[in-house]
Amino acid sequence: MTAAPARQGIYICHKYIGTRRRLNSVLSQAENQCERSAQVGTKVSSHHQDTMLRTLIFLTCCLCAVDAQFPRVCTSEAAFRTKSCCPLWKDRSPCGSLSGRGKCINWAQLTGQKVPQYNDDRLDWPRNYYDNTCECYGNFSGFDCGDCRFGHHGEKCDRKKVVLRRELRELTFVETERFFSYLALAKTTKSRDFVVLSTGDRHHRETYRFVDASLYDVFAWMHYYSMKPLMINSTFDNSKNYAHQGPAFPGWHRLGLLFLERQIQLMTGDEDFAIPYYDWRGEKNCSICIDGLLGSNDAQGVLHPYSHFSFWKAICSGFNFPDEYCPLADVEDKMERLHRRPGTTPYAPNLPTFQDVENLLKIEDFDYPPFNETARYSFRNALEGFLDPDGVTLKRSMHNLVHIYLGGTMSQVPISSNDPIFILHHSFIDKIFETWLTRYNASPDTYPENNELGHGPNNCTTPYFPCYKNKILFLKSTDFGYRFSEFSRKPPMGRKRHQ
């Protein structure tokens, strides 16, 4: 090990030792090994470095004291009987009302509507489950107003911080390993605050149950849950869901990344954590699909055993029926391992180009009737990938093309969020969205009125607490506490460089 890598190894060791003070003597021995390697300049193979790092991560995950997108406290029999999700904060008042953090509001009084029980349980979120939820004041947020708005920190949520999301290949070795280690913690740490819904039959509420899941699996489940077909009058419509094929698409995924980013910040105590992005423009192959980064795969799509994510399994995989929600959410043995097969799908052999992104950003209208996958002259539909960036031709492109190109788990869109490359891909999609928002000076008022269920400007984004109206996600990224780096790669010869 050279001097610099040795110091990097020491940093990693101390980083995780410092964040989990109750690690036993085995972890101390691992730290000493790092120290001895640095002192004597021992030459250690990259595989040995990786093994030591993984040992540290494994022990950290096993020994940390973390209690096990429905708030756990709101899934009791009493909560569903009263249809109330206004938990007591630490001042013993609902939503921290005595401390001025928020109040409990009644949705029935606000809207005067009632959700028919034979319709989709996500319709008019969260009315099917709760008539009363918290509404937080100022910079306070969370299902009980006990957290801060995105980008704010401190007991009083009065400290603003804007983190920098960088391209994965801009990170140093230490930063890259820290990112993968945080993901490993999120994958193996049971969520303290949230549980996920699992059903045997969506038509029969007696089959509904709520089960524990890791922080990362809660995030993956939210995408899956929002992707399931709509049910209206007990009939499923496979062409409709709450996260895609409508104006909410970029905002829904922006909020999903913010949720995961915030949960990892809280889990690790690292306020500077930011999700990287993967700039795939013009690549001839997936350059980050190597074992040192996202992992290589064999001909069957199985990730290499030395990859960071070779042991990961996909929650809600294997049983993709429209009338069920993740029926085996708590049975890991029934879950599929992550797969990836970049570039092997005949009808998606290439990634989008620099010119594709340039053309996309020339589309001025965010969305256009009929506000679904057939919309033309629509930036949203072209970004999502049902419309060519020329704004006229209905064909597979952009976001959708990347999913299909990567293959395996990523090509199964409802469960695609299980593959960590999903968050890197969508972080770049969000960067393109942010570029469009800035270029055309867009705001929440830009969000179009439409009749797509769950995609209206004032609909609450499914399934988040507290309510985030779809149109609010049109605020600039700095309002949510992050910005993007100006990473630039040279486009192919003869192409204009575009960031």
Side-chain angles (χ1 to χ4, degrees), residues 96-115:
S97 57
L98 292 179
S99 301
R101 298 183 75 93
K103 66 178 180 179
C104 187
I105 62 169
N106 184 279
W107 287 93
Q109 293 178 357
L110 290 175
T111 65
Q113 301 173 355
K114 185 175 181 180
V115 181

Side-chain angles (χ1 to χ4, degrees), residues 249-250 360 378-385 398-399 429 432-433:
F249 165 73
L360 169 67
S378 162
F379 167 78
R380 186 275 312 164
N381 204 29
L383 176 66
E384 188 169 358
M398 302 306 294
H399 157 266
I429 291 294
I432 297 173
F433 178 46

Side-chain angles (χ1 to χ4, degrees), residues 286-300:
C286 176
S287 63
I288 65 172
C289 296
I290 57 177
D291 287 338
L293 295 175
L294 273 294
S296 63
N297 57 273
D298 62 21
Q300 284 71 47

Side-chain angles (χ1 to χ4, degrees), residues 318-355:
F319 295 86
N320 189 26
F321 304 115
D323 57 347
E324 296 179 339
Y325 287 137
C326 205
L328 299 175
D330 53 347
V331 186
E332 186 174 356
D333 291 344
K334 299 292 185 180
M335 298 179 190
E336 300 173 354
R337 289 176 59 184
L338 293 187
H339 282 67
R340 203 182 300 133
R341 301 183 65 193
T344 61
T345 304
Y347 54 89
N350 301 306
L351 290 162
T353 67
F354 282 82
Q355 191 64 50

Side-chain angles (χ1 to χ4, degrees), residues 421-483:
I421 204 170
F422 174 97
I423 65 175
L424 302 175
H425 168 42
H426 274 279
S427 189
F428 188 56
I429 291 294
D430 192 48
K431 183 179 181 181
I432 297 173
F433 178 46
E434 180 68 18
T435 302
W436 185 90
L437 290 172
T438 302
R439 178 174 295 188
Y440 297 104
N441 196 30
S443 71
D445 291 336
T446 307
Y447 196 102
E449 292 286 348
N450 67 90
N451 295 321
E452 294 296 297
L453 294 176
H455 289 261
N458 292 307
N459 287 145
C460 296
T461 307
T462 305
Y464 295 93
F465 285 89
C467 171
Y468 290 90
K469 293 182 179 179
N470 287 326
K471 65 182 182 181
I472 294 302
L473 281 307
F474 268 54
L475 293 172
K476 300 297 187 293
S477 66
T478 50
D479 289 319
F480 297 106
Y482 71 98
R483 61 187 179 89

Side-chain angles (χ1 to χ4, degrees), residues 155-420:
E155 180 67 24
K156 297 182 179 180
C157 300
D158 54 358
R159 183 161 45 82
K160 180 71 181 288
K161 177 185 282 288
V162 177
V163 299
L164 180 65
R165 291 185 182 176
R166 291 177 290 165
E167 215 279 344
L168 181 65
R169 289 161 292 189
E170 289 184 277
L171 305 184
T172 66
F173 168 81
V174 171
E175 291 169 335
T176 301
E177 292 303 313
R178 183 190 302 130
F179 170 59
F180 292 142
S181 300
Y182 283 0
L183 289 182
L185 281 171
K187 182 66 173 177
T188 54
T189 300
K190 185 170 66 173
S191 175
R192 178 189 62 190
D193 294 325
F194 300 103
V195 291
V196 301
L197 172 63
S198 174
T199 74
D201 188 336
R202 289 172 61 184
H203 295 282
H204 300 286
R205 298 301 168 86
E206 66 270 15
T207 70
Y208 283 32
R209 61 195 183 97
F210 296 89
V211 300
D212 290 331
S214 71
L215 286 176
Y216 192 93
D217 283 351
V218 169
F219 162 75
W221 174 88
M222 290 192 300
H223 185 260
Y224 165 91
Y225 179 65
S226 300
M227 279 287 299
K228 298 296 284 186
L230 264 67
M231 183 176 73
I232 302 297
N233 295 327
S234 298
T235 301
F236 295 108
D237 185 347
N238 289 291
S239 68
K240 306 290 184 182
N241 65 74
Y242 295 92
H244 296 76
Q245 296 163 269
F249 165 73
W252 191 100
H253 290 82
R254 166 171 281 198
L255 186 55
L257 294 182
L258 282 166
F259 171 84
L260 180 62
E261 191 170 71
R262 178 63 174 168
Q263 291 301 308
I264 291 178
Q265 289 171 353
L266 293 172
M267 175 186 69
T268 61
D270 185 354
E271 295 179 0
D272 295 316
F273 171 73
I275 292 175
Y277 61 90
Y278 168 38
D279 182 351
W280 32 249
R281 292 174 299 169
E283 290 203 336
K284 298 302 181 184
N285 52 59
C286 176
S287 63
I288 65 172
C289 296
I290 57 177
D291 287 338
L293 295 175
L294 273 294
S296 63
N297 57 273
D298 62 21
Q300 284 71 47
V302 177
L303 297 186
H304 192 279
Y306 288 144
S307 126
H308 289 277
F309 308 104
S310 61
F311 70 94
W312 280 38
K313 290 189 175 182
I315 191 172
C316 304
S317 58
F319 295 86
N320 189 26
F321 304 115
D323 57 347
E324 296 179 339
Y325 287 137
C326 205
L328 299 175
D330 53 347
V331 186
E332 186 174 356
D333 291 344
K334 299 292 185 180
M335 298 179 190
E336 300 173 354
R337 289 176 59 184
L338 293 187
H339 282 67
R340 203 182 300 133
R341 301 183 65 193
T344 61
T345 304
Y347 54 89
N350 301 306
L351 290 162
T353 67
F354 282 82
Q355 191 64 50
D356 287 335
V357 176
E358 288 187 14
N359 291 341
L360 169 67
L361 290 168
K362 292 176 183 177
I363 303 176
E364 297 184 17
D365 289 326
F366 171 73
D367 212 344
Y368 205 78
F371 302 110
N372 58 29
E373 70 278 10
T374 67
R376 289 180 167 86
Y377 314 108
S378 162
F379 167 78
R380 186 275 312 164
N381 204 29
L383 176 66
E384 188 169 358
F386 293 105
L387 178 69
D388 187 89
D390 65 10
V392 177
T393 309
L394 294 173
K395 61 174 287 189
R396 188 178 296 104
S397 66
M398 302 306 294
H399 157 266
N400 289 346
L401 183 62
V402 176
H403 272 274
I404 298 168
Y405 172 87
L406 290 169
T409 306
M410 275 290 282
S411 65
Q412 302 174 64
V413 179
I415 64 168
S416 59
S417 47
N418 281 282
D419 189 337

